[in-house]
Amino acid sequence: MHIVSISGSPSQRSRSAWLLQLAHERLADDARSERVIAVRELPAGALLAADVGAAPIRLALDDVQRADVVIVATPIYKAAYSGLLKAFLDLLPQDALRGKTVLPLATGGSLAHLLALDYALKPVLAALGAREILDGVFAADAQLAPLPDGGFAADEALLDRLERALEPVAARCSA
Ligand SMILES: Cc1cc2nc3c(=O)[nH]c(=O)nc-3n(C[C@H](O)[C@H](O)[C@H](O)COP(=O)(O)O)c2cc1C
């Protein structure tokens, strides 16, 4: 099972990237290979110019193509996914997610934009061909408390939701 994660936060210290990391750690033992694509680390000029020939971007797109499972994490910005994530998703071929299992994750300042996963992110994933989109996991900032070491402490309810969302992937990994 090849697992590729896409982190769409522009922030270095990122709650959504942390949530993604938690998901990755839970699947790591069963995965054949895994890669996290931090879109913020791709060359900005090439990303904005849609230069799919730039080596780091080409490699990232190829990794997505090879993946069986794609986990997509974004902060909620202005009631939708981040522009950074969209800049990367725009470079994927039209059917890039067809046949893959896709798990959407998001973090937001409050629960008010919980539905952004359903009305904003999932339609884009579906437009890219994804037909197996797992239950998304949304975390409010208060559910990921900052720790002095730079990480975050996830509350129990959030960990339970993440565990449930990952069950179909974990079952596929160990089949
Ligand atoms: C420019 C900007 C816009 C934001 N817009 C929203 C929003 O519309 N709804 C919301 O719930 N949180 C909003 N937030 C809060 C972030 O979504 C939240 O802090 C999130 O956890 C940040 O994720 P990150 O640490 O991975 O970047 C916004 C934050 C920024 C910086």
Side-chain angles (χ1 to χ4, degrees):
M1 185 77 66
H2 299 288
I3 300 177
V4 169
S5 295
I6 303 169
S7 171
S9 174
S11 302
Q12 187 174 16
R13 190 176 187 199
S14 159
R15 283 183 165 88
S16 58
W18 187 260
L19 190 59
L20 188 64
Q21 194 56 41
L22 288 178
H24 243 260
E25 283 167 11
R26 278 166 162 65
L27 296 174
D29 288 348
D30 299 315
R32 200 164 355 120
S33 72
E34 44 176 326
R35 156 134 199 238
V36 178
I37 298 166
V39 182
R40 67 186 292 276
E41 289 170 7
L42 295 176
L47 189 66
L48 292 179
D51 178 3
V52 294
I57 292 184
R58 186 73 267 146
L59 281 173
L61 297 174
D62 288 348
D63 278 335
V64 174
Q65 193 183 349
R66 274 193 294 272
D68 302 298
V69 176
V70 179
I71 309 176
V72 180
T74 181
I76 301 299
Y77 278 3
K78 308 287 190 269
Y81 41 72
S82 70
L84 184 67
L85 176 66
K86 186 64 162 52
F88 181 72
L89 295 180
D90 286 348
L91 303 185
L92 290 168
Q94 192 58 48
D95 251 7
L97 299 181
R98 191 165 297 279
K100 302 180 193 306
T101 303
V102 180
L103 173 65
L105 305 175
T107 62
S110 82
L111 289 175
H113 285 140
L114 168 75
L115 290 178
L117 273 177
D118 294 311
Y119 66 67
L121 184 54
K122 284 187 179 180
V124 178
L125 302 175
L128 287 165
R131 292 296 174 267
E132 192 187 355
I133 304 177
L134 303 178
D135 290 346
V137 178
F138 179 98
D141 284 356
Q143 296 177 300
L144 285 163
L147 294 171
D149 67 1
F152 296 93
D155 79 13
E156 283 302 319
L158 172 60
L159 290 176
D160 285 349
R161 282 207 310 283
L162 185 63
E163 203 65 54
R164 270 202 309 278
L166 288 171
E167 268 168 20
V169 186
R172 237 182 110 179
C173 281
S174 53

